[in-house]
Amino acid sequence: METIFIWYGHAAFGLTIGDDRILIDPFLTGNPAATVKAAELDADYILITHGHGDHIGDTLPIAMRTKALCISNFEICSWLSAKGVDTHAQHIGGGHSFPFGHLKLTPALHGSALPDGSYGGNPVGFLLTTPDGKKIYIAGDTGLFGDMQLIGDEGIDLAALPIGDNYTMGPEDALKAVKLLRPRRVVPVHYNTWDLIAQDLRAWKTRVEAETEAEVVILKPGESLVL
Ligand code: NI
Ligand code: MN
Protein backbone atom coordinates (compact mmCIF):
# COMPACT_ATOMS: atom_id res chain seq x y z
CA MET A 1 0.00 0.00 0.00
CA GLU A 2 1.44 3.34 -1.02
CA THR A 3 1.52 6.15 1.50
CA ILE A 4 2.01 9.64 0.11
CA PHE A 5 2.99 12.47 2.44
CA ILE A 6 2.56 16.04 1.22
CA TRP A 7 3.57 19.27 2.94
CA TYR A 8 1.34 22.26 2.24
CA GLY A 9 3.65 24.71 4.04
CA HIS A 10 3.99 25.67 7.72
CA ALA A 11 2.66 22.62 9.63
CA ALA A 12 -0.13 21.58 7.23
CA PHE A 13 0.12 18.10 5.76
CA GLY A 14 -1.80 15.67 3.64
CA LEU A 15 -1.52 11.90 3.71
CA THR A 16 -2.94 9.54 1.14
CA ILE A 17 -3.05 6.01 2.48
CA GLY A 18 -4.73 3.61 0.08
CA ASP A 19 -8.09 5.25 -0.71
CA ASP A 20 -8.11 7.43 2.39
CA ARG A 21 -7.28 11.13 2.24
CA ILE A 22 -6.15 12.65 5.51
CA LEU A 23 -5.38 16.28 6.27
CA ILE A 24 -3.36 17.32 9.29
CA ASP A 25 -3.54 20.88 10.70
CA PRO A 26 -4.98 22.32 7.44
CA PHE A 27 -3.94 25.97 7.82
CA LEU A 28 -4.17 27.36 4.28
CA THR A 29 -6.18 30.60 4.44
CA GLY A 30 -3.71 33.24 5.67
CA ASN A 31 -0.75 30.86 5.38
CA PRO A 32 1.85 32.76 3.33
CA ALA A 33 3.59 29.47 2.43
CA ALA A 34 0.51 27.57 1.24
CA THR A 35 0.36 26.51 -2.40
CA VAL A 36 -3.27 25.36 -2.36
CA LYS A 37 -6.56 26.84 -1.24
CA ALA A 38 -8.73 25.14 1.35
CA ALA A 39 -11.55 24.86 -1.21
CA GLU A 40 -9.31 22.71 -3.45
CA LEU A 41 -8.70 20.00 -0.84
CA ASP A 42 -10.73 16.87 -0.27
CA ALA A 43 -10.53 14.87 2.91
CA ASP A 44 -11.99 11.81 4.58
CA TYR A 45 -10.30 12.62 7.89
CA ILE A 46 -8.83 15.77 9.44
CA LEU A 47 -6.34 15.47 12.31
CA ILE A 48 -5.78 18.53 14.53
CA THR A 49 -2.82 18.78 16.94
CA HIS A 50 -3.98 21.87 18.86
CA GLY A 51 -6.29 24.85 18.80
CA HIS A 52 -3.99 27.61 17.54
CA GLY A 53 -5.15 29.30 14.34
CA ASP A 54 -2.08 28.19 12.37
CA HIS A 55 -3.11 24.56 13.01
CA ILE A 56 -6.90 24.26 13.29
CA GLY A 57 -6.84 26.65 10.32
CA ASP A 58 -9.48 25.75 7.73
CA THR A 59 -10.66 22.62 9.53
CA LEU A 60 -14.25 23.82 9.91
CA PRO A 61 -15.01 24.84 6.31
CA ILE A 62 -13.24 21.76 4.92
CA ALA A 63 -15.06 19.43 7.32
CA MET A 64 -18.43 21.08 6.58
CA ARG A 65 -17.91 20.68 2.83
CA THR A 66 -16.35 17.21 2.73
CA LYS A 67 -18.03 15.62 5.81
CA ALA A 68 -14.56 14.55 6.91
CA LEU A 69 -14.28 13.00 10.36
CA CYS A 70 -12.23 15.32 12.61
CA ILE A 71 -9.86 13.63 15.05
CA SER A 72 -8.24 15.49 17.94
CA ASN A 73 -8.25 15.74 21.71
CA PHE A 74 -11.57 15.74 23.59
CA GLU A 75 -11.74 19.52 24.06
CA ILE A 76 -11.14 20.41 20.40
CA CYS A 77 -13.55 17.70 19.28
CA SER A 78 -16.24 19.11 21.61
CA TRP A 79 -15.68 22.60 20.12
CA LEU A 80 -15.88 21.26 16.54
CA SER A 81 -18.81 18.99 17.27
CA ALA A 82 -20.82 21.93 18.68
CA LYS A 83 -20.35 23.59 15.26
CA GLY A 84 -21.86 20.58 13.49
CA VAL A 85 -18.98 18.46 12.22
CA ASP A 86 -18.34 14.77 12.93
CA THR A 87 -15.57 14.11 15.40
CA HIS A 88 -13.65 11.32 17.08
CA ALA A 89 -12.05 12.33 20.37
CA GLN A 90 -8.96 10.67 21.80
CA HIS A 91 -6.40 11.75 24.35
CA ILE A 92 -2.68 11.55 25.00
CA GLY A 93 -1.50 7.96 25.22
CA GLY A 94 -4.71 6.64 23.69
CA GLY A 95 -4.73 4.83 20.36
CA HIS A 96 -7.53 3.84 18.00
CA SER A 97 -7.65 1.88 14.75
CA PHE A 98 -9.10 3.60 11.70
CA PRO A 99 -9.21 2.31 8.10
CA PHE A 100 -6.04 4.39 7.42
CA GLY A 101 -4.13 2.89 10.35
CA HIS A 102 -3.68 3.00 14.09
CA LEU A 103 -3.50 6.51 15.50
CA LYS A 104 -2.06 7.32 18.92
CA LEU A 105 -1.98 10.76 20.49
CA THR A 106 1.40 11.76 21.90
CA PRO A 107 2.38 14.56 24.29
CA ALA A 108 3.40 18.00 23.07
CA LEU A 109 4.75 20.86 25.16
CA HIS A 110 2.86 23.91 23.93
CA GLY A 111 -0.49 25.76 24.29
CA SER A 112 -3.84 25.02 22.67
CA ALA A 113 -6.31 27.92 22.96
CA LEU A 114 -8.87 27.93 20.16
CA PRO A 115 -9.29 31.01 17.90
CA ASP A 116 -12.29 32.28 19.92
CA GLY A 117 -10.38 31.89 23.20
CA SER A 118 -12.06 28.59 24.15
CA TYR A 119 -10.02 26.05 26.07
CA GLY A 120 -8.46 23.59 23.64
CA GLY A 121 -7.14 21.05 26.14
CA ASN A 122 -3.58 19.79 25.90
CA PRO A 123 -1.76 20.03 22.57
CA VAL A 124 -0.85 16.68 21.03
CA GLY A 125 1.29 14.99 18.43
CA PHE A 126 0.33 11.93 16.37
CA LEU A 127 1.94 8.56 15.99
CA LEU A 128 0.37 6.81 13.02
CA THR A 129 0.99 3.20 12.09
CA THR A 130 -0.25 2.58 8.56
CA PRO A 131 -1.97 -0.71 7.64
CA ASP A 132 1.30 -1.99 6.18
CA GLY A 133 3.26 -1.07 9.29
CA LYS A 134 4.92 2.25 8.44
CA LYS A 135 5.30 4.59 11.42
CA ILE A 136 4.79 8.30 10.96
CA TYR A 137 5.33 10.71 13.84
CA ILE A 138 3.88 14.22 13.59
CA ALA A 139 5.27 16.06 16.59
CA GLY A 140 2.90 19.04 16.42
CA ASP A 141 4.07 22.29 17.96
CA THR A 142 6.32 21.32 20.83
CA GLY A 143 9.49 21.92 22.74
CA LEU A 144 12.00 19.14 23.19
CA PHE A 145 11.07 16.46 25.72
CA GLY A 146 12.95 13.36 26.85
CA ASP A 147 10.03 10.99 26.21
CA MET A 148 10.76 11.36 22.50
CA GLN A 149 13.15 8.52 23.30
CA LEU A 150 10.13 6.28 24.05
CA ILE A 151 8.37 7.35 20.86
CA GLY A 152 11.59 6.55 19.00
CA ASP A 153 11.53 3.01 20.40
CA GLU A 154 8.56 2.41 18.05
CA GLY A 155 10.89 2.57 15.02
CA ILE A 156 9.89 5.75 13.20
CA ASP A 157 9.99 5.76 9.39
CA LEU A 158 9.14 9.45 9.02
CA ALA A 159 9.14 12.22 11.62
CA ALA A 160 7.80 15.72 10.95
CA LEU A 161 9.44 18.06 13.47
CA PRO A 162 9.06 21.79 14.07
CA ILE A 163 12.34 23.66 13.82
CA GLY A 164 11.47 27.34 13.51
CA ASP A 165 12.32 28.33 17.12
CA ASN A 166 10.48 31.03 19.08
CA TYR A 167 7.17 29.09 19.31
CA THR A 168 8.62 25.55 19.10
CA MET A 169 11.93 23.72 19.09
CA GLY A 170 14.69 25.50 17.23
CA PRO A 171 17.48 23.83 15.26
CA GLU A 172 19.58 22.85 18.31
CA ASP A 173 16.74 21.15 20.12
CA ALA A 174 15.35 19.64 16.90
CA LEU A 175 18.76 17.97 16.41
CA LYS A 176 18.47 16.55 19.95
CA ALA A 177 14.94 15.39 19.07
CA VAL A 178 16.28 13.50 16.04
CA LYS A 179 18.83 11.79 18.30
CA LEU A 180 16.04 10.69 20.67
CA LEU A 181 13.56 9.69 17.97
CA ARG A 182 16.04 7.95 15.65
CA PRO A 183 13.75 8.23 12.59
CA ARG A 184 14.72 6.94 9.17
CA ARG A 185 13.67 10.22 7.57
CA VAL A 186 12.91 13.68 8.99
CA VAL A 187 10.87 16.46 7.42
CA PRO A 188 11.46 19.80 9.18
CA VAL A 189 8.37 22.04 9.38
CA HIS A 190 7.04 25.18 11.09
CA TYR A 191 9.83 27.40 9.71
CA ASN A 192 10.16 30.27 7.20
CA THR A 193 6.40 30.92 7.21
CA TRP A 194 7.19 34.28 8.82
CA ASP A 195 10.49 36.11 9.48
CA LEU A 196 10.22 35.28 13.19
CA ILE A 197 10.71 31.57 12.44
CA ALA A 198 13.21 31.86 9.56
CA GLN A 199 15.88 29.13 9.58
CA ASP A 200 18.75 27.91 7.40
CA LEU A 201 17.69 24.32 6.68
CA ARG A 202 20.69 23.44 4.52
CA ALA A 203 23.06 23.85 7.47
CA TRP A 204 20.72 21.85 9.70
CA LYS A 205 20.46 19.01 7.18
CA THR A 206 24.26 18.79 6.93
CA ARG A 207 24.63 18.70 10.68
CA VAL A 208 21.85 16.16 11.34
CA GLU A 209 23.12 13.84 8.64
CA ALA A 210 26.68 14.07 10.04
CA GLU A 211 25.60 13.35 13.64
CA THR A 212 22.73 10.85 13.16
CA GLU A 213 21.57 8.07 10.83
CA ALA A 214 18.52 10.07 9.73
CA GLU A 215 17.99 11.47 6.25
CA VAL A 216 16.69 15.04 6.28
CA VAL A 217 14.14 15.65 3.53
CA ILE A 218 13.63 19.36 2.85
CA LEU A 219 10.35 19.75 1.01
CA LYS A 220 9.07 22.86 -0.69
CA PRO A 221 5.42 23.65 0.10
CA GLY A 222 3.32 21.47 -2.20
CA GLU A 223 6.00 18.79 -2.55
CA SER A 224 5.40 15.23 -1.47
CA LEU A 225 7.30 12.07 -0.69
CA VAL A 226 6.30 8.44 -0.97
CA LEU A 227 6.82 6.11 1.95
NI1 NI B 1 0.80 26.51 18.18
MN1 MN C 1 2.08 26.74 15.31
Side-chain angles (χ1 to χ4, degrees):
M1 183 183 287
E2 196 173 68
T3 297
I4 301 167
F5 173 97
I6 180 164
W7 185 46
Y8 293 117
H10 197 55
F13 314 99
L15 279 170
T16 305
I17 301 174
D19 294 331
D20 288 323
R21 298 157 305 175
I22 300 136
L23 292 175
I24 303 165
D25 288 354
F27 165 55
L28 302 152
T29 304
N31 176 353
T35 53
V36 289
K37 291 185 165 57
E40 296 165 1
L41 291 177
D42 280 320
D44 302 298
Y45 302 91
I46 304 175
L47 278 50
I48 306 111
T49 61
H50 64 291
H52 293 165
D54 60 319
H55 295 261
I56 199 157
D58 297 292
T59 295
L60 262 179
I62 297 172
M64 297 278 195
R65 175 171 53 81
T66 62
K67 310 289 177 212
L69 180 69
C70 295
I71 305 168
S72 189
N73 69 22
F74 173 80
E75 291 80 3
I76 289 173
C77 283
S78 299
W79 187 83
L80 287 168
S81 161
K83 297 181 186 304
V85 304
D86 292 335
T87 61
H88 176 95
Q90 294 181 218
H91 240 307
I92 293 170
H96 184 76
S97 290
F98 295 92
F100 61 84
H102 181 268
L103 183 72
K104 188 159 88 171
L105 268 55
T106 59
L109 296 179
H110 194 67
S112 185
L114 286 150
D116 64 2
S118 299
Y119 175 61
N122 286 307
V124 305
F126 296 111
L127 179 64
L128 173 65
T129 309
T130 65
D132 59 353
K134 295 193 182 81
K135 303 252 187 191
I136 301 168
Y137 172 55
I138 308 284
D141 280 7
T142 187
L144 178 69
F145 56 90
D147 286 355
M148 286 180 176
Q149 178 86 32
L150 296 174
I151 298 169
D153 288 346
E154 299 279 334
I156 308 295
D157 292 291
L158 178 69
L161 302 181
I163 191 179
D165 218 345
N166 195 76
Y167 302 113
T168 68
M169 293 188 284
E172 290 295 326
D173 281 355
L175 170 62
K176 289 181 185 166
V178 175
K179 290 177 178 175
L180 294 172
L181 290 161
R182 294 153 282 147
R184 202 162 65 80
R185 288 195 277 187
V186 189
V187 173
V189 302
H190 212 279
Y191 69 94
N192 288 4
T193 319
W194 301 284
D195 288 346
L196 189 56
I197 55 174
Q199 296 296 337
D200 174 0
L201 267 291
R202 287 282 150 201
W204 192 75
K205 175 180 166 74
T206 302
R207 199 166 158 209
V208 171
E209 292 183 347
E211 294 186 31
T212 77
E213 300 290 306
E215 177 196 356
V216 176
V217 182
I218 300 174
L219 297 175
K220 291 192 182 75
E223 284 185 343
S224 58
L225 64 88
V226 177
L227 274 78

